[in-house]
Amino acid sequence: MAAPTREFIIAWTPDSEARARIAKVVRDSFQKGPYSRSDELFRYAQGGLRPLTAPELADHGR
């Protein structure tokens, strides 16, 4: 999950083949416009919401 702007929330499955491309879209969206919020990527699971770990970020091309 990510919310790079106040108008844009995006979610995908951890095994999505597009995960690195989606992470890039999040970073690009974050850098544009006056209402940027965060380029942080999060994981939502039964235990709740948390930022991705370093290995998970690497798996997303970060």
Side-chain angles (χ1 to χ4, degrees):
M1 294 184 72
T5 70
R6 71 181 187 180
E7 293 91 10
F8 183 49
I9 296 174
I10 187 168
W12 59 97
T13 60
D15 61 345
S16 170
E17 293 180 10
R19 64 188 174 275
R21 289 189 310 271
I22 294 169
K24 184 178 182 328
V25 168
V26 169
R27 178 164 283 165
D28 292 347
S29 296
F30 165 74
Q31 294 172 350
K32 295 178 183 173
Y35 301 113
S36 298
R37 294 295 178 240
S38 172
D39 69 345
E40 186 76 52
L41 302 177
F42 296 90
R43 179 175 179 115
Y44 178 78
Q46 191 172 19
L49 188 66
R50 66 165 174 78
L52 293 187
T53 63
E56 290 168 331
L57 286 170
D59 189 49
H60 281 73
R62 293 265 183 107

